[in-house]
Amino acid sequence: MMIAKIQSQEIEFSIRRKYCDIITVLLKEMKSDSKLICLCSSSDKLLSHMASKSIASLVYFQLKEENTFNVTWLTFCLKTLSDFPKSDQVAECLWILRAIIRDILKDKDLQKADILKKVFTPLDTAFEGFYNSILSHRLNSCQDTSCFKAENNLIGFIDFLEVLVASRIQLGSHFKCQRILFFNTSYILDLTCSSIHYFIKKKFIMLLKKSLLYKAGEDFVSGSLPTLSLQDPYLYKDMLALANIVLQAVSLGWLNQIPVSGKASYFGGNEAQPEDSIHSGPDQVILRALSLVLLKALEIKFQDSIKAAEIKDLQSFMFQLLIFLKQHLKPLLNEHCCAWLSMVFIEQDDDMLEAAKTLLTIYLKFDRLWHDAAGNLCLAKEKETWICLTHESGCNPHCIFLYFLKSIAFDFTVLLDFLISSETCFLEYFVRYLKLLKEDWHHFVSISNCFAIVSKRNVCVSFVTLSHQEKITCLTDSSLENACCDPEQHTLVSLASSQKPSIHMEKQGDDQVLKPNKSNSLICTDNTSVLDCFQSLVNYDSSEDSELESAGNECLANIKQMPLNNQGSTEIREETVRMDLDDKHHTLESKALPLKQKRSNPSSPMVCNISSNNPVLLKSMKCLEELQKAISRLQRRNLFPYNPAALLKLLSHIETISKSMNPL
């Protein structure tokens, strides 16, 4: 209370000075700091907690106002960490350290780097040994009471590690204690597969996720990531070391060793009544976290430079992720591989968009690789194979976008909500994807055609695991061999030579047993094969990644995200709904869709045009068109929170391409 009054600007200076004198007397004559430290281990939990808060406030106050580190507290802290596991005040010590560092990071007026230097310099000598000791300490040999204490120590240690990583990311400093998580991740990965409590495993995995997403400490650190941290070469090395350890563990089967709880939490308790017969699904939180950990690790691995051979690494890791997810999400067995992202992340918007953005970034890096090597015919064919493999690996950006639109029922108001929200990275993802869509229109149309056929025919794409040595063709029709001789159709060869393809299956009979189609594994309709649908995949338009990045940067540079209050968001919603009602012709009516199918020549380059029987493509374009008009009107009324000029330019370009390819 006294420290709070000293720091309050509403209290007169003379009164604040008096409180400072009182604290000085308490520390010098009564040794109050030593008494507070002793009270931290009290059996009275409330007294222990209040003592911990008091000593944390005192140490922080002295660091801020007097630029000194409390010697009594420092001595106790170093002794507690060095004596582990004999010391019995580890949890309290870690909690106080976490509170001190957290308060320093939250203070906007403080010279954080200089203050934290006084904290981390002495910790470096003791923390490395403590890190190894607490993570290698065996819990299964403990008694009930000591085991509870050890688990409590681990929970406090995880929270403390988060503030260390947060300070590492926010300030760009690189003390040993801040970097130890990045270079000694194997201890944590081993613990997630051990017999410790599920809650602790979950906290460790969430810590890895926050670290790789640069979101450690997001609950108490306001503001975006400083530019200094983004340019810190040491931080990149740390993240790369963490990513490599994670990927190495995944390649050794780490994912399959992690238990995923099947129980859900219930209001008022953690158990459902037997008569309720509630069958809870898997823990979606940990599935999302593990998926993002792997995706971000892959993104960091491919951040600087990639090679053509590394496509096998991407494919292998994505296969392992899909196998792991299918063990816990049975509906994935009957879905196309790219549907996994919508199914796993449907309950968490920010994670879903982060995953979509990460996959898009990886895709664009490999796409640039193929474009740079376009002069080599062999590599050009390998690039065509890569496009096919993106479907099998569940990372095709057009499939992911279409599944995303389907999950929101092609509702443009949901996209508008994402665009005005500061809680997701949708703006960044959307700008990058629209640029790709503009350059890759034929590919998108082909995907949407197959998407519509699969939905209409209820055909499912089954993911199968094949060894690296097995090679089977995506298309088995012998006519493809004849097509290879035709110069106009030489680009079709890649689809017939891809490795590890998705096998299309059909539901047969009432028993819902999946059986392969014997005539042709990729026949979609009676007269139209998937070859027709995917013909544009091999006529991939040229697109330089540098142009993509410059356009995206131009768009994002003109946009200044500002958090909206509830009143502003409500006003935009009401205005959007009113505008939508004023223009009834903007509403998509399924009955208005043309029903006559225009048969196209399979070899015609216009096979990718918008067909009148493709509701998926029509709904997608209608959604983007309505979004564009809604943003334009909100901008004219000065209701949009930032300048959307560049975004509107991209949407307008997409609309022009759509109408020019097939004016309806």
Side-chain angles (χ1 to χ4, degrees):
M1 182 199 69
M2 288 190 291
I3 291 174
K5 289 183 178 296
I6 292 173
Q7 295 176 330
S8 175
Q9 299 299 321
E10 299 177 358
I11 298 179
E12 295 182 7
F13 177 78
S14 59
I15 298 177
R16 285 185 281 158
R17 186 70 260 171
K18 202 69 176 177
Y19 278 120
C20 287
D21 294 340
I22 295 173
I23 290 179
T24 302
V25 172
L26 289 173
L27 293 177
K28 288 185 177 180
E29 298 183 8
M30 301 183 64
K31 307 296 182 182
S32 295
D33 47 0
S34 299
K35 295 178 180 179
L36 285 173
I37 292 173
C38 293
L39 287 175
C40 290
S41 58
S42 172
S43 58
D44 186 333
K45 297 301 179 185
L46 179 59
L47 182 60
S48 173
H49 179 66
M50 292 304 299
S52 298
K53 289 188 67 175
S54 297
I55 193 66
S57 298
L58 175 63
V59 174
Y60 169 65
F61 170 74
Q62 291 178 312
L63 282 168
K64 181 179 180 180
E65 301 296 334
E66 302 174 5
N67 198 23
T68 58
F69 202 179
N70 187 285
V71 178
T72 304
W73 157 250
L74 177 60
T75 304
F76 162 77
C77 180
L78 294 177
K79 185 177 186 304
T80 301
L81 297 180
S82 301
D83 291 348
F84 181 84
K86 295 179 181 179
S87 55
D88 58 353
Q89 291 183 276
V90 172
E92 293 79 11
C93 176
L94 292 175
W95 190 94
I96 295 170
L97 271 174
R98 175 179 179 270
I100 295 169
I101 300 173
R102 181 189 60 196
D103 289 342
I104 293 174
L105 293 176
K106 289 169 62 176
D107 198 325
K108 298 181 180 179
D109 302 325
L110 200 63
Q111 296 294 330
K112 303 176 184 179
D114 295 336
I115 296 297
L116 284 176
K117 183 178 181 180
K118 295 182 178 296
V119 179
F120 292 145
T121 300
L123 278 180
D124 268 351
T125 59
F127 190 73
E128 184 174 3
F130 172 72
Y131 180 95
N132 297 334
S133 298
I134 192 171
L135 292 183
S136 59
H137 184 57
R138 298 298 177 185
L139 300 180
N140 47 3
S141 60
C142 302
Q143 301 297 325
D144 291 342
T145 305
S146 58
C147 188
F148 174 79
K149 188 73 175 179
E151 289 179 345
N152 198 29
N153 290 341
L154 270 179
I155 292 174
F157 179 66
I158 297 171
D159 293 335
F160 176 60
L161 276 178
E162 183 177 356
V163 298
L164 287 180
V165 175
S167 65
R168 174 77 185 91
I169 295 173
Q170 290 289 325
L171 303 180
S173 55
H174 43 275
F175 290 92
K176 282 184 179 180
C177 59
Q178 293 176 289
R179 306 178 69 189
I180 196 165
L181 168 71
F182 300 98
F183 292 96
N184 295 272
T185 314
S186 55
Y187 285 105
I188 292 178
L189 299 181
D190 291 341
L191 274 178
T192 57
C193 304
S194 67
S195 58
I196 62 174
H197 197 281
Y198 180 75
F199 176 73
I200 300 177
K201 298 178 184 180
K202 191 172 181 178
K203 283 185 70 72
F204 271 127
I205 293 173
M206 296 302 294
L207 174 61
L208 292 177
K209 169 194 164 184
K210 290 180 180 180
S211 301
L212 287 167
L213 290 176
Y214 294 88
K215 290 184 177 181
E218 62 180 347
D219 298 334
F220 53 84
V221 178
S222 59
S224 58
L225 186 67
T227 306
L228 176 63
S229 295
L230 292 173
Q231 298 175 349
D232 181 9
Y234 292 101
L235 181 59
Y236 168 71
K237 292 180 180 179
D238 291 351
M239 288 294 179
L240 182 60
L242 175 57
N244 286 332
I245 294 174
V246 169
L247 293 177
Q248 182 180 7
V250 172
S251 64
L252 296 175
W254 173 64
L255 285 177
N256 295 324
Q257 300 178 42
I258 298 177
V260 178
S261 175
K263 287 187 177 182
S265 296
Y266 299 92
F267 184 76
N270 58 4
E271 296 289 342
Q273 296 298 323
E275 59 271 15
D276 291 341
S277 299
I278 298 178
H279 300 286
S280 60
D283 187 348
Q284 294 276 2
V285 175
I286 201 167
L287 291 182
R288 291 194 295 267
L290 287 169
S291 300
L292 271 175
V293 165
L294 177 56
L295 292 182
K296 295 303 293 185
L298 286 172
E299 181 185 19
I300 293 172
K301 176 181 173 63
F302 301 138
Q303 187 170 351
D304 277 349
S305 60
I306 55 176
K307 301 177 181 178
E310 290 180 323
I311 180 59
K312 296 181 180 179
D313 295 336
L314 173 63
Q315 185 182 12
S316 174
F317 286 120
M318 290 303 299
F319 278 4
Q320 291 191 57
L321 177 61
L322 290 173
I323 293 172
F324 168 75
L325 293 174
K326 287 201 305 177
Q327 293 175 357
H328 304 286
L329 295 174
K330 299 304 180 183
L332 266 178
L333 294 170
N334 299 327
E335 289 287 345
H336 177 53
C337 295
C338 295
W340 75 270
L341 191 141
S342 296
M343 295 183 66
V344 173
F345 293 95
I346 190 63
E347 297 178 0
Q348 194 71 28
D349 296 337
D350 54 348
D351 283 351
M352 175 177 64
L353 295 171
E354 188 68 53
K357 186 190 75 171
T358 301
L359 285 174
L360 178 60
T361 302
I362 295 174
Y363 175 90
L364 291 175
K365 287 185 177 294
F366 277 104
D367 185 64
R368 180 177 62 179
L369 179 66
W370 304 130
H371 277 291
D372 293 343
N376 188 310
L377 179 61
C378 180
L379 285 181
K381 292 181 179 179
E382 289 184 8
K383 180 215 166 185
E384 297 162 7
T385 303
W386 143 252
I387 295 175
C388 184
L389 293 178
T390 59
H391 294 280
E392 300 154 12
S393 303
C395 58
N396 185 277
H398 300 303
C399 280
I400 290 172
F401 184 70
L402 286 173
Y403 274 112
F404 167 64
L405 290 183
K406 181 182 178 182
S407 68
I408 63 172
F410 298 90
D411 187 353
F412 78 96
T413 61
V414 179
L415 300 182
L416 186 63
D417 284 342
F418 283 138
L419 285 173
I420 65 178
S421 172
S422 59
E423 298 178 358
T424 68
C425 61
F426 179 72
L427 175 62
E428 183 180 359
Y429 163 72
F430 196 47
V431 167
R432 291 183 182 181
Y433 178 74
L434 288 179
K435 178 60 181 175
L436 171 65
L437 180 59
K438 184 181 72 170
E439 303 292 340
D440 200 20
W441 174 256
H442 293 287
H443 187 185
F444 172 76
V445 176
S446 297
I447 298 299
S448 62
N449 286 338
C450 292
F451 196 97
I453 292 173
V454 167
S455 301
K456 181 179 179 181
R457 296 284 181 176
N458 197 25
V459 178
C460 61
V461 180
S462 176
F463 175 82
V464 292
T465 307
L466 300 176
S467 64
H468 290 287
Q469 290 78 20
E470 288 181 286
K471 295 182 180 181
I472 61 175
T473 60
C474 281
L475 297 177
T476 57
D477 199 322
S478 59
S479 61
L480 291 178
E481 299 179 1
N482 298 329
C484 297
C485 302
D486 189 347
E488 296 180 358
Q489 299 185 15
H490 74 279
T491 54
L492 300 179
V493 177
S494 62
L495 288 177
S497 60
S498 67
Q499 301 177 5
K500 296 184 180 178
S502 300
I503 297 181
H504 292 246
M505 315 288 282
E506 293 183 354
K507 294 183 178 180
Q508 304 287 344
D510 297 333
D511 56 355
Q512 302 297 319
V513 176
L514 297 177
K515 298 180 179 180
N517 188 332
K518 296 180 180 179
S519 59
N520 192 330
S521 61
L522 285 178
I523 294 296
C524 288
T525 64
D526 296 336
N527 300 313
T528 306
S529 69
V530 173
L531 174 61
D532 301 334
C533 304
F534 277 91
Q535 185 175 2
S536 67
L537 294 182
V538 294
N539 293 326
Y540 201 70
D541 291 340
S542 176
S543 170
E544 295 184 4
D545 191 67
S546 58
E547 180 185 356
L548 169 65
E549 293 177 353
S550 62
N553 292 335
E554 175 189 357
C555 182
L556 294 175
N558 294 329
I559 295 173
K560 295 182 179 180
Q561 283 274 26
M562 299 176 61
L564 298 176
N565 54 30
N566 293 336
Q567 181 179 358
S569 299
T570 304
E571 187 178 1
I572 290 179
R573 284 178 182 274
E574 293 176 351
E575 179 66 17
T576 304
V577 173
R578 188 183 66 78
M579 291 186 302
D580 189 48
L581 292 175
D582 291 342
D583 296 291
K584 295 182 180 180
H585 64 278
H586 292 163
T587 305
L588 180 63
E589 299 179 358
S590 58
K591 294 183 180 180
L593 296 176
L595 298 178
K596 295 182 180 180
Q597 180 178 359
K598 298 180 181 179
R599 195 169 298 278
S600 302
N601 185 354
S603 62
S604 172
M606 299 303 291
V607 72
C608 299
N609 286 355
I610 302 177
S611 56
S612 59
N613 67 331
N614 189 344
V616 174
L617 191 53
L618 293 174
K619 288 179 181 179
S620 302
M621 292 302 103
K622 194 67 175 179
C623 177
L624 295 181
E625 180 183 349
E626 290 176 339
L627 176 65
Q628 176 192 358
K629 293 180 179 179
I631 295 174
S632 299
R633 295 182 182 184
L634 289 171
Q635 182 189 26
R636 288 197 298 268
R637 290 166 172 79
N638 294 322
L639 289 174
F640 211 71
Y642 51 82
N643 181 12
L647 178 61
L648 288 173
K649 183 178 179 181
L650 280 172
L651 288 170
S652 177
H653 201 134
I654 298 300
E655 181 184 9
T656 302
I657 295 176
S658 172
K659 292 182 177 180
S660 64
M661 294 298 291
N662 193 54
L664 297 177

